[in-house]
Amino acid sequence: MAALSKAGAALAALRSDLAGDVHAPGDPGYDEARTVFNATIDRRPAVIAQCEGEADVVRAVRFARELDLKIAVRGGGHSVAGMALCDNGLVVDLRRMREVTVHPGSASVRVGGGAVMSDLDRATQPHGLATTGGRVSTTGVGGFVLGGGNGWLDRPFGLAVDNLLGVELVTAQGDTVLATGDENPELFWALHGGGGNFGVATALTLRLHELPEFSIALLMYVPETGPHAVRTFRDVITTGPPEVGGAVLYVTAPPEPFVPGHLVGSLLCTALVTYTGGEEDLRNLARPLLALPHECEVVSTMPYADVQCMLDGPPGLRNHWSVEYVSALPDELVDVFCSRARSMPVPSASQQVLFPQGGAIAAGPAEYPVPYRDAPWTVHPFGVWEDPADDERALRWVRDVCADARPWRTGAVYLNFIGDEGRDRVVAGLGTGNFNRLARIKRRYDPDNVFRYNHNIPPA
């Protein structure tokens, strides 16, 4: 009884102290507040603290420590494993902390911990500036960056963590710290891939790059042409400059004006070529792909922030993703990859993707805990479907895509692309030596492993 009384008093004090809102089971808005992107996740936190600023985050963390509650941190809520939520614990919800302040003179931007990609991209675009972001507009900036961060601009501008200049953090003790190359440099290193293991990132400062023009070429092919399209895309990337990027992917043809009506809902192979420059130069670079027989074509200069919205998936669907990095993309792997697409759930929002690396990714700082930067290609099955009856089929397809790639895999993992796949995959996402170093830093900043709802690094 005394414990319940203490918890009730503490919750009442939290409601009074927070500038933001506090939700507990039974409160209006509770169920909406605990809904995340992946519909397979259904967790019931004891408390959801919707923080308005850093002071609210400090207060919420100290409240959880006082009551010995587990803590999950919600930014964009895009984690496929549902790491933004926990059962019977506290969720530090940052979604109201979405301020973005651009500093054109220093080519940098300060981003609130709850901002999503569209917040960042829409703020920097009027200045002709951008930085590497995710490939959809609804991804949370904080989790994306701290987990490594690859996207349409990574070949010309590097991984997101390569552009990280500073992090404002609330620790497990409820203290505030700043991590930069000069201040708390060991913590700063850990935040280059170590994710949310070390505290709540209330703001991040990122380097910006000039991006006066951005162009895309989007072409769709029938599946029979897929192997030719993938090989041609491979050659365009391999022979092109770092300013060229994109993806080749199998998708369900969407009901868009540029897609012939008789193909909507069917499997198509899509080549998306991105270019940090104008349309004419892109047409020259993409000429081999344009020469292949294709069903639809869009080649245009477009605002980068608009391109970021092109592959947005609707919330409320069921998700399961994984990834393998491969050391090469030989014809044999191309054929296996294309053949496997026929088992992808269709129609659905699923995507079977090949991303190129190289360029500024490979040339970036080797010391950060992102061991996948040297791989030239990424195999990424991105399962998104609606009907729970398709769960087994979708999960099997994701597993099979990864299994097909294993003869060529490097063993490295991009942790933002996987759910809970076990400790070995977490180590593979950081590197064994890096993992041990990160565990020592974890012991300093979070010895009780308070922040465990992540790709966890237990303190050592």
Side-chain angles (χ1 to χ4, degrees), residues 256-300:
E256 297 287 349
F258 57 84
V259 178
H262 70 282
L263 292 175
V264 171
S266 63
L267 180 70
L268 290 182
C269 178
T270 301
L272 174 61
V273 185
T274 60
Y275 180 61
T276 53
E279 178 183 337
E280 183 178 351
D281 288 341
L282 175 58
R283 282 190 177 274
N284 290 330
L285 291 162
R287 185 178 291 117
L289 285 163
L290 290 162
L292 293 176
H294 51 278
E295 305 305 307
C296 50
E297 163 188 331
V298 176
V299 184
S300 178

Side-chain angles (χ1 to χ4, degrees), residues 202-259:
T202 55
L204 301 90
T205 300
L206 304 169
R207 180 184 298 109
L208 296 173
H209 303 263
E210 292 186 3
L211 186 65
E213 280 191 299
F214 191 73
S215 304
I216 67 161
L218 176 70
L219 299 105
M220 289 186 160
Y221 309 87
V222 295
E224 292 75 17
T225 308
H228 302 292
V230 174
R231 291 187 183 100
T232 304
F233 179 84
R234 175 192 62 191
D235 296 342
V236 166
I237 293 294
T238 302
T239 60
E243 291 76 16
V244 176
V248 61
L249 59 162
Y250 282 88
V251 300
T252 297
E256 297 287 349
F258 57 84
V259 178

Side-chain angles (χ1 to χ4, degrees), residues 26-45:
D27 289 348
Y30 170 80
D31 285 327
E32 181 180 358
R34 70 182 184 89
T35 300
V36 290
F37 182 78
N38 185 355
T40 67
I41 306 301
D42 182 17
R43 295 179 185 151
R44 299 187 64 82

